[in-house]
């Protein structure tokens, strides 16, 4: 045989092509597999009818005059919020730059630089600890977003009394990151002064304050955002869609948790040795308190541990979990709440200076929604950091929600009975998973993908940008002010959060079941 | 060129080994090609050992990652075809060894090193990538595609040899 001038015997042809049939067999196998995958995905996605991934908005350009911001409180969270708004202390950025130079995996500095420019200026900062006030002022002027010796703008004016900051004409909006016992006064005064408000959670320290805050905000018409940055989490949006499409069947139990296991996580923060009666305005710090205490750096720096200033796990961490579920299920204020717990771990000598904390470090709350045939269970410990996802349990399926989302059919489901029997649905394999940033939601995620995603190893970047929900949450508030729109965690959402947390706190402190009278809007 | 001569059984086993490794590569490549969500990012980020920094860096550059995904998918497919069909087998064998070396170095089964993806067996120093690498080495030293495979039609015969 002649092919292009070459001559082959029959033996050459047979031996040359001997393994081609094997390739044919593989092609056939591959065709069968992809047909089965397509069939399974197609059947499932038809059954579940979930939509495309959440569209990812490109960075906005925010033109016009810069919005003028004031910051009240520059503790740990205040510093984080100011940074999420675009202003960080040069020393911090310098250290991040140096870490990045040593370790190319350290992306803190480059992530910070990639944050959108919100077109804001910080005109005023207020803080009761001189050292922090100074730092806040320097951070606010770091317009070049550089380390030491970078381009600095005009530093924000320093205020010792927030009322003076609110009275300033050159401030349009305030970010409030004070301890909880100050929230109500500050929000109400800011609203009355016509300043837009971003306030950290928990909304308030007491029940009465929740009503007062809502009244002031509604009357003023300001743009209000409560600091539950979880509102920006993509997977919650998909979770809500799955609920709306009734994929889980009738939901009767929701379990949410907090697990932490470090002094910082338990609010046993470092006590700054520079903090003394000359550098801290202690009298003003305690101004809202009914009972005044002698100067205590421990109380000042670790205020979350005492009822005088905060509400412990309730306002601090139950609220995050509650708000996430309220965003997904929209169930509002519970009909009743009980809670119990205690100071079980942080009572040893090494955990305090002079005073053992008052707020529990192990605490569980049960919120009942009989009108929805639903219980919301919150379980928290500050001395173990086992990873417990939020789980929404329905008759037909369970949904695990973290930064990813997985839905597993229940083996005894009514809706999926047939598909389980036919093998289309296997209860141990998710019928639906949502991994943020994934190109295609219809295809069933492979086991490999599940493993990597579950450990946060997939899609930590979206379009090359790592997402920081706090930055997105502040950006949403700033944009809402500019465009006259509503925020996602507005005063109505905040009211539900505030009342719910207050009910759970009262249940613990008064050791009783607490009820919500929906018609009278009263806690009884 | 001096090529080894084989007994029939030797030739048969070597060809089966070549085709089997080819099948393995080819299937891995096609499965990745057919999954629009496949990317090496998780695998690269999960790298451990001496070269982990290098592999993790690959994962964090989105542009580079696209190139790596493309090269990996088409590398697997072309190497698999080369081995299975015996076409450009020599190049495919060496390319396969390079790819396996990358896999091995990014996920060395060292004492005390854990990976996100659990393996189906137990490995210390020696794992399947290393065995595959060594198997390809054998195939490189004992090539068969000039006897069984398309290389026989491409390289073996020309008018000169036909006139012997």
């Amino acid at each position: 045989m002649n092919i292009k001038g070459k001559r082959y015997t029959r033996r050459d042809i047979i031996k040359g092509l001997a393994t081609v049939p094997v390739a044919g067999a593989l092609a056939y196998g591959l065709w069968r597999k992809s047909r089965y995958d397509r069939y399974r995905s197609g059947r499932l996605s038809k059954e579940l009818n979930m939509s495309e991934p959440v569209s990812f908005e490109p960075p906005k350009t925010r033109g016009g005059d810069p919005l003028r911001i004031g910051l009240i409180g520059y503790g740990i969270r205040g510093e984080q919020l100011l940074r999420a708004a675009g202003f960080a202390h040069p020393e911090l950025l310098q250290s991040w730059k140096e870490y990045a130079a040593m370790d190319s995996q350290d992306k803190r500095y480059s992530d910070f630089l990639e944050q959108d420019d919100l077109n804001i200026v910080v005109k005023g900062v207020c803080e009761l600890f001189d050292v922090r006030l100074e730092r806040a002022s320097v951070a606010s002027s770091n317009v070049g977003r550089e380390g030491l010796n970078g381009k600095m703008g005009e530093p924000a004016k320093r205020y010792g009394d927030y009322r003076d900051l609110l009275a300033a004409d050159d401030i349009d909006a305030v970010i409030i990151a004070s301890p909880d016992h100050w929230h109500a006064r500050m929000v109400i005064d800011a609203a009355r002064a016509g300043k837009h408000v971003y306030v950290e959670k928990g909304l308030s320290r007491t029940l009465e304050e929740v009503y007062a805050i809502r009244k002031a905000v509604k009357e003023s018409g300001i743009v209000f955002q409560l600091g539950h940055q979880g509102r920006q989490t993509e997977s919650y949006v998909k979770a809500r869609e799955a609920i709306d499409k009734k994929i889980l069947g009738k939901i009767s139990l929701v379990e949410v948790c907090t697990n932490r296991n470090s002094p910082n996580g338990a609010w046993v923060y470092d006590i700054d040795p520079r903090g003394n009666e000359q550098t801290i305005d202690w009298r003003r710090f305690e101004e809202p308190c009914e009972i005044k205490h002698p100067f205590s750096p421990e109380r000042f720096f670790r205020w979350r541990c005492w009822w005088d200033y905060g509400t412990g796990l309730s306002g601090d961490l139950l609220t995050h979990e509650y708000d996430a579920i309220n965003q997904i299920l929209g169930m509002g204020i519970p009909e009743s709440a009980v809670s119990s717990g205690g100071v079980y771990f942080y009572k040893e000598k090494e955990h305090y200076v002079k005073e053992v904390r008052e707020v529990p470090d192990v605490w569980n709350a049960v919120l009942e929604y009989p009108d929805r045939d639903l219980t919301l269970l919150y379980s928290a410990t500050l001395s173990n950091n086992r990873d417990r996802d939020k789980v929404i349990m329905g008759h037909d399926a369970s949904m695990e929600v973290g930064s990813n989302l997985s839905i597993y059919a229940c083996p005894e489901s009514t809706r999926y009975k047939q598909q389980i029997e036919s093998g289309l649905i296997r209860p141990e394999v998710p019928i639906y998973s949502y991994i943020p940033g994934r190109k295609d939601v219809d295809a069933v995620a492979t086991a490999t993908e599940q493993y990597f995603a579950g450990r946060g190893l997939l899609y930590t970047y979206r379009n090359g940008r790592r997402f920081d929900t706090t930055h997105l949450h502040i950006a949403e508030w700033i944009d809402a002010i500019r465009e006259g729109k509503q925020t996602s965690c507005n005063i109505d959402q905040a009211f539900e959060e505030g009342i719910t947390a207050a009910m759970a706190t009262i249940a613990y402190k008064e050791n009783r079941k607490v009820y919500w009278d929906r018609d009278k809007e009263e806690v009884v | 060129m001096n090529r080894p001569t084989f007994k029939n059984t030797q030739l048969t086993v070597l060809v089966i080994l070549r085709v089997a490794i080819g099948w393995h590569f080819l299937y891995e490549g096609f499965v990745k090609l057919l999954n629009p969500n496949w990317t090496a990012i998780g695998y690269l980020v999960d790298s451990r050992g001496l070269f982990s920094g290098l592999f993790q860096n690959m994962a964090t550059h989105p542009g580079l990652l696209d190139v790596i995904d493309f090269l990996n998918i088409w590398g697997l497919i072309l190497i698999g075809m080369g081995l299975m069909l015996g076409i450009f087998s020599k190049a495919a064998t060496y390319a396969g060894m390079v790819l396996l070396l990358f896999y091995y170095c990014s996920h060395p089964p060292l004492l005390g090193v854990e990976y996100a993806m659990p393996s189906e067996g137990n490995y210390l120093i020696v794992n399947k990538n290393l065995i595959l690498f060594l198997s390809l080495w054998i195939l490189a030293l004992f090539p068969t595609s000039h006897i069984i495979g398309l290389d026989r039609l491409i390289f073996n015969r020309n008018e000169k040899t036909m006139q012997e």
Side-chain angles (χ1 to χ4, degrees), chain A residues 29-186:
Chain A
L30 204 63
W31 175 73
R32 288 279 305 265
K33 178 196 149 52
S34 75
R35 199 181 61 153
Y36 172 74
D37 286 352
R38 268 207 312 275
Y39 164 77
R40 192 162 169 260
S41 292
R43 280 283 300 275
L44 270 179
S45 63
K46 204 173 161 193
E47 172 79 41
L48 304 179
N49 188 27
M50 291 290 284
S51 69
E52 287 300 296
V54 181
S55 63
F56 185 56
E57 282 185 35
K60 279 188 183 176
T61 40
R62 296 168 169 93
D65 291 333
L67 199 73
R68 300 165 303 174
I69 302 288
L71 175 79
I72 305 174
Y74 193 72
I76 295 169
R77 191 58 184 157
E79 186 183 336
Q80 290 167 350
L81 290 176
L82 194 59
R83 200 161 71 221
F87 300 89
H89 197 283
E91 280 173 14
L92 177 82
L93 294 183
Q94 184 70 29
S95 74
W96 280 4
K97 266 181 164 176
E98 285 164 13
Y99 280 119
M102 285 187 291
D103 174 8
S104 59
Q105 296 307 304
D106 194 323
K107 300 286 177 200
R108 286 176 294 180
Y109 185 58
S110 54
D111 286 349
F112 174 72
L113 288 184
E114 280 177 15
Q115 278 183 13
D116 285 357
D117 183 346
L118 302 178
N119 189 21
I120 56 179
V121 285
V122 185
K123 283 293 194 183
V125 288
C126 173
E127 167 62 51
L128 300 181
F129 177 29
D130 291 351
V131 175
R132 286 177 177 171
L133 184 60
E134 163 72 24
R135 280 187 74 83
S137 171
V138 174
S140 70
S141 65
N142 190 5
V143 292
R145 299 191 184 197
E146 289 173 63
L148 299 173
N149 307 317
K151 182 188 161 199
M152 301 294 277
E154 199 183 323
K157 191 173 173 191
R158 301 172 202 191
Y159 294 91
D161 188 333
Y162 78 95
R163 283 160 282 228
D164 297 333
L165 184 149
L166 292 179
D169 298 331
D170 63 350
I171 288 175
D172 307 310
V174 287
I175 296 174
I176 299 172
S178 59
D180 297 359
H181 68 306
W182 271 107
H183 283 181
R185 288 185 182 212
M186 288 172 175

Side-chain angles (χ1 to χ4, degrees), chain A residues 262-274:
Chain A
S262 70
N264 251 332
W267 317 309
V268 184
Y269 302 125
D270 290 340
I271 293 172
D272 192 320
R274 293 166 293 186

Side-chain angles (χ1 to χ4, degrees), chain A residues 255-323:
Chain A
E255 186 184 55
V256 288
C257 305
T258 298
N259 281 60
R260 290 177 167 188
N261 197 10
S262 70
N264 251 332
W267 317 309
V268 184
Y269 302 125
D270 290 340
I271 293 172
D272 192 320
R274 293 166 293 186
N276 55 46
E277 281 180 275
Q278 279 71 54
T279 55
I280 292 172
D281 189 346
W282 177 253
R283 273 184 59 189
R284 182 152 289 141
F285 178 78
E286 283 227 324
E287 194 184 300
C289 301
E290 284 164 27
I291 302 164
K292 311 291 180 196
H293 302 83
F295 175 70
S296 161
E298 186 174 30
R299 280 177 165 256
F300 183 79
F301 289 107
R302 299 175 179 173
W303 58 266
R304 291 177 201 271
C305 298
W306 285 275
W307 296 120
D308 297 299
Y309 320 111
T311 59
L313 280 162
S314 180
D316 255 324
L317 295 164
L318 159 71
T319 53
H320 270 322
E321 300 299 320
Y322 165 83
D323 188 69

Side-chain angles (χ1 to χ4, degrees), chain A residues 240-250 396 415-416:
Chain A
R240 172 152 200 153
E241 189 190 337
I243 300 293
D244 290 345
K245 294 195 169 149
K246 305 197 182 337
I247 288 173
L248 305 192
K250 181 167 177 167
D396 292 315
R415 173 174 170 178
Y416 303 118

Side-chain angles (χ1 to χ4, degrees), chain A residues 402-413:
Chain A
S403 55
N404 306 312
L405 181 155
S406 310
I407 301 174
Y408 292 85
C410 257
E412 305 292 341
S413 152

Side-chain angles (χ1 to χ4, degrees), chain A residues 1-2 4-9 11-13 15-20 22-26 29-30 33-34 104-105 107 437-441 443 446-449 451-452 455 457-461 463-464, chain B residues 11 15 18-19 23 26-27 30-31 34-39 41-43 45-46 53 56-57 59-60 62 83-86 107 115-118 147-155 157-159 162-163:
Chain A
M1 191 191 285
N2 268 303
K4 287 187 181 170
K6 294 181 180 180
R7 293 161 66 193
Y8 301 104
T9 63
R11 173 178 297 236
D12 286 330
I13 302 292
K15 291 198 169 178
L17 300 176
T19 57
V20 172
V22 185
L26 183 112
L30 204 63
K33 178 196 149 52
S34 75
S104 59
Q105 296 307 304
K107 300 286 177 200
R438 200 162 174 264
K439 292 175 207 157
D440 174 9
V441 287
T446 61
T448 320
E449 235 180 315
Y451 272 113
F452 286 137
R455 285 163 174 76
L457 290 174
L458 274 185
Y459 314 113
T460 32
Y461 298 83
N463 300 353
Chain B
L11 180 67
V15 169
R18 196 192 79 204
V19 170
W23 178 293
L26 200 51
Y27 189 69
F30 273 125
V31 165
L34 292 176
N35 177 359
N37 290 301
W38 184 83
T39 162
I41 188 168
Y43 186 79
V45 169
D46 196 29
Q56 285 163 3
N57 266 336
T60 51
L83 292 172
M84 182 179 274
L85 300 176
H107 284 57
Y115 295 100
M117 186 66 186
I147 305 168
I148 305 284
L150 287 165
D151 283 343
R152 179 184 182 109
L153 305 180
I154 297 169
F155 299 111
R157 296 283 165 174
N158 54 43
E159 282 171 66
M162 291 305 285
Q163 285 159 8

